[in-house]
Amino acid sequence: MSANITLYLDTRREKSNNKYPVKLRVYFNNITKHYKTGIDATKDEFFNAYQSQKPRKEFRDLKIKLQGVESSAQNTASKLDPFTFERFERNIYGSTCDSRNVYAYYDRYIAHLKSEGRESTASNYELSKKALIKFCDEKSIATNDLLSFNLIVPDFLNQYERWMQQMGRTLTTVGIYLRPLRAIFNMALQEGDITLDIYPFGKRKYQIPAGRKVKKALSKEDLKALYTYELPPDSFQAKARDFWFFSYQCNGMNIKDILGLRYRDIKGDIIVFTRSKTKNTTKTDLKPIMVPITYLVKQFIKKYGTPSVNRDNYIFPIYIEGITEHEKLRRTQNFTKFINQHIKKLAEAAGVTTDISTYWARHSFTTNAIRSGASMEFIQESLGHQDMKTTMNYWGGFEESVKRDISEKIMDFV
């Protein structure tokens, strides 16, 4: 028994080029599967090329291309004895077809992210995929090479969540690992490789846990304790503290952006930069962030900066010219670990019981700037946020003394 193979135009979802994907329809043993061809066409082009016996001149090249794809698939299928979809996919694509393979979608998008230099985001997707493979392996759900989209149902995701918690992971971590998977589903949905009826996320399905939002802002008392604690000037803790407070003073600038600063980013008495996190995700209305160069910021650059021979030079010597994005990620991660390791030791010595890391500098800047009278609009601009809701997530709220003072003042009429 041989497979029946034809081409069809998948008109369920129009692509950005105003065309639709042409797909292979393979029917065998009462089962139909669809495969991508990499060819797009309008309804008119597909009808006049593929379905016409004698296409006009402008459609002949497309007809030849379509016939070639169909003929190649039919020849491949005819040589398979016995025919199986898996063997067909391996022969056509060189490996299991990626149109319904979650792992293949991960690999394709990870490669895309790396091609754009987005190594950090690519690393997040790699970790998400590895956790998924480990879970499926332990539960004997799928192989390391193939995980079908239709296997991932709400019950699968609930099991995954419980498994992660049994591994000692928090709900926040579960969310971090599952959001890339949801993005993969959204890509497959947009490509037309899956339909909405198998989409497992959303209301009355599976909802990704958001985790408890922990406020990460230090009080002025804690900041003073860290800043004034006596340390040998050339110690690791002193260096970690200097970089932490540089981040704090520079609108909570993250470490990657600090290390990526060049002397050309200094415009008179301000630093002007664009967050690396938003360069690839926000294509429109991308506003640069401006940081005033205070006396302390100037002294920090003087102490840790490289000689400014060329305005294109990196200010700090962690990055060097010509290194790859992957190497930048490695150096950023190592330097961030260095700061976190030593700032935690300093906090313990200074009697600061609150947890602390480089990320706390951003929250602390936001909260203390607002408590000092800055408006939310000012903070939104300083952080480079497009959405005020994002800014609100960094706001640690009012101190208890302020709340008590307000509560007493509202009874001033008594």
Side-chain angles (χ1 to χ4, degrees), residues 131-132 135 158-170 173-178:
L132 204 56
F135 168 72
N158 282 313
Q159 287 186 51
Y160 175 86
E161 180 182 310
R162 290 193 293 271
W163 175 78
M164 287 283 280
Q165 289 184 287
Q166 290 167 3
M167 297 277 289
R169 304 298 177 88
T170 64
T173 303
V174 174
I176 291 171
Y177 277 58
L178 283 182

Side-chain angles (χ1 to χ4, degrees), residues 64-118:
I64 292 171
K65 186 184 294 187
L66 293 172
Q67 285 179 330
V69 170
E70 186 179 48
S71 176
S72 176
Q74 289 172 342
N75 288 338
T76 298
S78 67
K79 295 174 183 177
L80 300 177
D81 187 20
F83 176 91
T84 66
F85 284 105
E86 183 176 359
R87 294 180 66 196
F88 175 76
E89 291 163 4
R90 291 184 186 280
N91 279 271
I92 286 288
Y93 297 96
S95 61
T96 303
C97 176
D98 68 359
S99 66
R100 288 204 171 245
N101 185 0
V102 175
Y103 298 147
Y105 254 90
Y106 265 101
D107 292 339
R108 187 178 70 178
Y109 190 57
I110 289 168
H112 168 72
L113 290 169
K114 290 183 176 181
S115 71
E116 290 191 340
R118 298 165 64 186

Side-chain angles (χ1 to χ4, degrees), residues 359-377:
Y359 198 53
W360 286 65
R362 192 167 178 81
H363 285 258
S364 297
F365 159 77
T366 302
T367 296
N368 285 290
I370 293 172
R371 288 173 180 171
S372 297
S375 67
M376 275 293 180
E377 289 74 18

Side-chain angles (χ1 to χ4, degrees), residues 201-242:
F201 300 98
K203 291 183 179 179
R204 292 183 292 279
K205 293 184 179 181
Y206 177 81
Q207 294 189 356
I208 295 176
R212 185 171 61 90
K213 291 188 182 299
V214 179
K215 300 301 182 182
K216 300 180 175 65
L218 297 179
S219 67
K220 287 185 177 180
E221 290 74 19
D222 286 339
L223 290 169
K224 182 178 180 181
L226 287 174
Y227 192 73
T228 59
Y229 190 82
E230 289 190 16
L231 289 170
D234 295 325
S235 66
F236 288 158
Q237 288 185 26
K239 184 176 182 178
R241 176 172 64 186
D242 286 347

Side-chain angles (χ1 to χ4, degrees), residues 13 29 46 58 88 114 169 187 191 230 235 243 248 278 281 283 336 354 370 385 389 401:
R13 193 169 285 104
N29 198 23
F46 186 76
E58 62 265 33
F88 175 76
K114 290 183 176 181
R169 304 298 177 88
M187 292 174 207
E191 290 287 330
E230 289 190 16
S235 66
F243 272 91
Y248 172 75
T278 57
T281 57
K283 299 296 185 183
T336 303
T354 308
I370 293 172
H385 290 158
K389 290 181 180 178
S401 60

Side-chain angles (χ1 to χ4, degrees), residues 252-300:
M253 192 188 303
N254 67 35
I255 301 303
K256 181 179 181 181
D257 288 330
I258 291 174
L259 301 185
L261 288 175
R262 297 176 185 266
Y263 279 102
R264 64 170 179 250
D265 297 323
I266 298 177
K267 316 288 186 183
D269 59 354
I270 61 172
I271 296 172
V272 182
F273 75 101
T274 303
R275 292 187 71 199
S276 58
K277 184 177 181 180
T278 57
K279 283 180 181 177
N280 294 292
T281 57
T282 307
K283 299 296 185 183
T284 60
D285 196 28
L286 191 61
K287 296 179 180 178
I289 299 172
M290 290 178 281
V291 178
I293 300 179
T294 64
Y295 173 78
L296 292 175
V297 169
K298 187 180 294 184
Q299 290 302 110
F300 177 86

